[in-house]
Amino acid sequence: MPSGRLVEREASLAQAGAALDRLRAGSGGALCLLGPAGVGKTTLLDSVLAGAGDLRLLRAAAGELETHAPYGVVRQLFGRALADLDPAAIDGLDGIAHGAARAAVDLVLHRGEPVADPSVMLNSLYWLLDGLAADGPLVLAVDDAHWADEASLVFCQHLLSRAGELPVLLVVAARDILPERRSPALAALVAGSGRLDLAPLSVAGVRSCLADLGHAELSDEMAAACADVTGGNPFLVTALADLLGTTDVRSLVPLAVVDTVVQRLTALGTTEQALARAVAVLDSAPLRIAADLADLSPEKAGIAADRLRDAGLFATERLLGFRHALLRGAVTAATGAATRDDLHRRAARALAAEPDGLHPAAGHLLEAEGVGDPWAADLLRTAARAALADGAPQAAVDLLRRAVAEPPPAADLPALLVELGTAELHAGDPASVATLERAGRGVSDPVLRAHCALGLSAAYHVGGFYERSVPILEAALADLGPEHGDLTLLVEAALVAAEISVPGCFEDARTRLAAHGELAGATPGERLLLIHQASVANATLAPIAEAGALARRAIGDGATPEQLASPFAWSLARIHLACSGAYDEAAELCAQGLELAAREGSVPLYAAASVTRGWAHLWAGRLDDSGTDFAEALRHAEVVAGGQLVRLMAAAGLAEALLGQGRLAEAVATIEQIPDEVATDPNNATGIHLLRSRGLVRAATGDHEGALASLRLCSERLIELDMDSPTWCGWRVAAVESLWALGRVDEARELAATELAVAERKAAASMLGQALRTVGEVAADDGIAQLERSVEVLTGSQARLQEARSRVALGAALRRTGRRVEGREQLRIGRELAHRLGAAGLAERATTELALAGGRAGRIETTGVAALTSAERRVVELAATGLRNRDIAQRLFLSTKTVEVHLSRAYRKLGVGRDGLAARLAADA
């Protein structure tokens, strides 16, 4: 309000003051100031920020035409902070420009290489903020957030989800629009922040406000009339104060106050009216730009601007703009639609020539109807490519849809539709299917058709509709030849990926892959085909060594471009290698991927490497390590494209790791977090692993009928896909255990024999040893021969948990047949191994059996490094190399606070400080 005094906002100010006090104490948070236009959000925000006092402030305000400018608000927030530093200071700001924050700094300063991955930018912006907050608490304020671009809002949402990690208070002021009209990110901000809802003023509040504006002698009747006409809206009350005495207040209705103020414009000359219309279209602008749009000289425009300020329409700042959005909206509404469109198109051409004018120009075109202008279509397309490069696919979608509506020249439309469909795919928009199908109908160029088919197949695969991809990719492949180079192989690889996932098409995929013979893995297309050859070898009864050899050829030196094709392809190659029994090698390759992810800030690669290494650790029996990896993958699944796939694989693995550790309740909770319709979706091939894990968990709870139902469904899916291989998804061993528990002995023995037969053919030590143990445990005789062979097969392999299980099973069988001394030896070895691997349930069983065999179960001490959790050990190992906490946090995609907690616990367990970590690790090794 003009007087500077807030009326009836004491409760909101108290709540904001408490948040600022918590910030001073080191605790971050978020506030959201909500209310209708004119209710005083900006005034309240100013008062809140004034109360910040000594705290550092970064502030931004969104504009109506900036909604589609990617990271526009983010650039405002951080640009001002970085603008105060010279380049040397920026580079020295806690290593910010060369660490995980480098991409964010480049974005804000308009330099460096673009980053197309939204998750990379979110991670980088987080670390930029972390670096800026290193010198003390920060307040981030965003005004008019309902107009903010979606990419900036997503960052604010990301910050909100990590509010407890940084000493940062996010304060957002937004118009209280209908919930269904809020963008997903804005809705999340409103729901997750401390809300300060700004109510209209009471009659007493209106009287107090008008008194501050020089109208202290108002009757009760007049105060009530003013409250009625303004609806208690503070801005309208202020505007009405100027009209008191010149207008019959009782003749007005709510919002007519604004119209009455704007009517003053008609009393001014045509020069002022033209400038007002131009500024209404521009939102805010320098005098020269507004003058050009209004067809005025700078001198005449300056005089007109002063008259508009005197009339109470323009704000007093040097940059031309209306005193309030309600006034601008009224002038805009009074301008004819055709005139507005013409002004927007002219503004676009004027701003396109300005530095950093690309997105502002595109924003004006988004406000205007298309007129078939090729220049406009090209500018929108250019802006969309820039948005994609900045990691803002949704902004690119909006721009490309507007470019299609322009429309462009007919010859350019198919390629534009392919770009739009691809952007929609990146944004997770289901409309990508319809767009790419439309593009495919108009494409004649074989290369463009191939790219369209690749995009369309990716869109189909998101929904699990692999069968739709097959004919489209077949048609695209038929038009390609050797002259198209690796594109031909890429299309064929996509076709094979679809055929593998479609019932009845598996043989077609095998035939296609066999025709390529021995591939060298020299190109991305060859590497993808090698990965699919490994998939076939893994999914069939071919010896598993074949899959391992093919995977190694695809992976090459571990840094080949196959890892950049997609995190899924990167992960699949290493999964096949792990399935071959090379768990340690696969885990080391995943560690390299995690290091690459840390250097690039790539959250998708970090999630993919985590879930893949989780399976390698799980199959090796390193339960704590695998659980940590799966938990990390789940923590990031929501912010990566294809996150559902990561979520399903990580949840399945985590449940099995928790079961192995004896943490049944947590395993049940992990499985139950995945809805039934997702787990049982027939279009989702990844769901087979979750079905297997569900069977294991249900069996552990005693629900063996439910376990068999899940495992039966898993079996049916595998048979449909012709992939019933134990190394692909082994379900029979779990089913045997449930059948045995239900007393269905003959069925259990028959299924165990079937599993042994296929395991013999696969020749995978882990699967063969497990199958032999299962047959031995359900055998009609003592089963010792099979159990002894199981131990023999597993000894020396990397499947240490399977070895421990077989040794305990053998020891128990020997004890039962009276060979107690031999049994005790196997039980001791199995117990110690189970303990080292964290298999609490197995270790407890071994302890019980050992006592029955007459042996003493000595206490196994857990001290030193062995006492650390997997997560603590990873932090300690990096700290021992001399890395700072912030560097460790960036490497492990954790917060610095989390690293500090892990180290504090580790110091207590190890009995040393940071300086003693390296020596303690070496001693325990």
Side-chain angles (χ1 to χ4, degrees), residues 511-536:
T511 301
R512 199 179 298 281
L513 289 169
H516 284 282
E518 295 284 330
L519 292 167
T523 67
E526 285 190 359
R527 284 186 281 275
L528 286 174
L529 288 170
L530 278 167
I531 291 170
H532 295 320
Q533 286 179 339
S535 295
V536 168

Side-chain angles (χ1 to χ4, degrees), residues 80 213 361 382 446 493 676 778 823:
R80 292 168 186 173
L213 294 166
T382 301
D676 281 343
V778 301

Side-chain angles (χ1 to χ4, degrees), residues 96 125 134 209 228 242 253 304 337 343 381 442 569 586 623 709 809 815 919:
I96 222 167
L125 286 167
C209 179
D228 185 46
D242 294 337
V253 294
L343 287 170
R381 203 168 177 179
L623 299 176
R815 189 266 305 169

